Amino acid sequence: MDRIAYINGEYVPENRARVSIFDRGFLFADAAYEVTAVIGGRLIDFPAHARRLSYSLGELRIDPPASEPDLLSIHRSLVEHNGVEEGSVYMQVSRGAADRSFLYSDISDSTVIAFTQEKRIVDHPAVARGAHVTLTDDLRWGRRDIKTVQLLYSSMARTQAAEAGYDDAWLTQDGVVTEATSSNAFIVTEGRLVTHPLDRHILPGITRSVVIELAVNTGLGVEERAFAVDEARRADEAFMTSSTTAVLPVVNIDDLSVGDGVPGPVTRELRRRYFERLTE
Ligand code: PDD
């Protein structure tokens, strides 16, 4: 890998991008991030990602590192430098480096890094067969609406799921499905989409909101409400959404088929419309 990465105002070969050992992103996971998809060399829904980054930084009281146009130009430069056709741009803003302390009130010299990753999104390998997920207790912290780099539990859950032969884990709390390890979870039941409401228990996914809008425009009912594990098992269809997977069908939950056990028509249509809107 010899990508160009961005760090604090500079574009450098990735192995020259270095952060202090005192960086609070490293010591305290004191950082917010965004992952913006790139499809056909174009950034997808960048303004919404910039808005969410601004929200996360505001909740953490980290000073915004740059204006939205400047952040956009960093993203565009990286896509261009690295010739990315399909994949993502990862951007992380930490509170910066300071002597280790639990008190952060007067630290304001944020560290900004960004890099690109190539990935198949349109022809994602799990789309045709559909994903198999397992159910796992949601033991993450209580402010999941902030997109922080505190991802250890999600990473553990995903790894354990993979080791047991699943594509991902759907996280559950008090008997309801919150979301997947790095996607929002949806079911289709009685012809309506159901997904967890926006609150502190889930990340307000950009793809989630696009899909809800597409569904409403198609005349499909949408219920933003918690759904129980049993309801998910009995659903006609299930899928998950994220910037890097778009709409990913889920055909099996904890070894029980969802519906017919193949990607369902509503899911496939929403995925089709998701990409169709990019060509409009
Ligand atoms: N993850 N929920 C969680 C916990 C996530 O980490 C993500 C995104 C989503 C979907 O959000 P969006 O549609 O805005 O991508 C939901 C990114 C892709 C990641 O961490 O790589």
Side-chain angles (χ1 to χ4, degrees):
M1 287 188 288
D2 52 0
R3 289 166 296 190
I4 296 293
Y6 173 89
I7 177 161
N8 294 332
E10 288 184 71
Y11 295 90
V12 295
E14 62 180 64
N15 58 5
R16 290 211 356 247
R18 296 262 184 262
V19 176
S20 162
I21 61 164
F22 295 108
D23 194 276
R24 289 182 57 89
F26 178 57
L27 295 179
F28 288 96
D30 188 355
Y33 77 105
E34 281 298 325
V35 177
T36 305
V38 177
I39 298 176
R42 278 174 50 205
L43 290 156
I44 308 304
D45 296 322
F46 180 79
H49 286 279
R51 266 198 307 279
R52 188 172 60 190
L53 181 62
S54 168
Y55 170 77
S56 298
L57 294 174
E59 292 302 291
L60 299 172
R61 289 197 280 135
I62 295 177
D63 291 339
S67 65
E68 186 179 322
D70 287 346
L71 294 179
L72 176 59
S73 110
I74 296 168
H75 278 68
R76 284 198 174 137
S77 300
L78 281 179
V79 169
E80 203 170 299
H81 278 312
N82 295 318
V84 183
E85 269 303 300
E86 199 163 308
S88 61
V89 179
Y90 176 95
M91 174 171 273
Q92 172 172 325
V93 182
S94 82
R95 198 179 307 276
D99 206 16
R100 186 174 182 276
S101 164
F102 281 78
L103 192 67
Y104 64 60
S105 48
D106 58 355
I107 302 165
S108 65
D109 191 14
S110 52
T111 303
V112 186
I113 59 110
F115 55 82
T116 57
Q117 284 186 299
E118 308 251 350
K119 187 177 172 190
R120 280 161 65 196
I121 299 176
V122 181
D123 289 322
H124 190 285
V127 167
R129 63 172 170 83
H132 289 225
V133 302
T134 184
L135 298 167
T136 307
D137 279 349
D138 194 343
L139 300 180
R140 297 172 299 163
W141 79 324
R143 289 301 307 275
R144 303 165 196 151
D145 55 315
I146 311 175
K147 197 162 174 60
T148 77
V149 302
Q150 197 200 74
L151 297 172
L152 186 54
Y153 184 74
S154 311
S155 183
M156 281 170 72
R158 172 78 68 88
T159 304
Q160 282 164 11
E163 284 170 359
Y166 300 97
D167 295 293
D168 201 352
W170 274 21
L171 304 171
T172 67
Q173 186 171 25
D174 301 327
V176 308
V177 175
T178 51
E179 57 185 335
T181 59
S182 63
S183 315
N184 292 108
F186 285 76
I187 56 171
V188 182
T189 184
E190 292 168 9
R192 299 169 73 77
L193 285 195
V194 184
T195 193
H196 197 286
L198 292 183
D199 59 20
R200 292 181 171 193
H201 296 116
I202 65 160
L203 185 81
I206 310 293
T207 322
R208 173 189 181 281
S209 65
V210 170
V211 164
I212 288 176
E213 199 182 314
L214 290 173
V216 169
N217 293 344
T218 329
L220 203 64
V222 179
E223 293 175 29
E224 294 183 64
R225 63 163 173 86
F227 60 88
V229 166
D230 282 346
E231 198 177 352
R233 289 204 183 96
R234 289 194 314 269
D236 300 318
E237 298 182 32
F239 62 88
M240 44 194 174
T241 60
S242 83
S243 299
T244 52
T245 55
V247 177
L248 187 64
V250 170
V251 296
N252 190 291
I253 301 176
D254 259 351
D255 305 322
L256 284 176
S257 288
V258 177
D260 300 334
V262 293
V266 173
T267 306
R268 283 189 281 121
E269 177 63 9
L270 287 170
R271 186 174 171 88
R272 193 187 66 74
R273 284 179 184 253
Y274 182 84
F275 292 119
E276 186 183 63
R277 102 200 146 97
L278 305 180
T279 57
E280 279 160 7

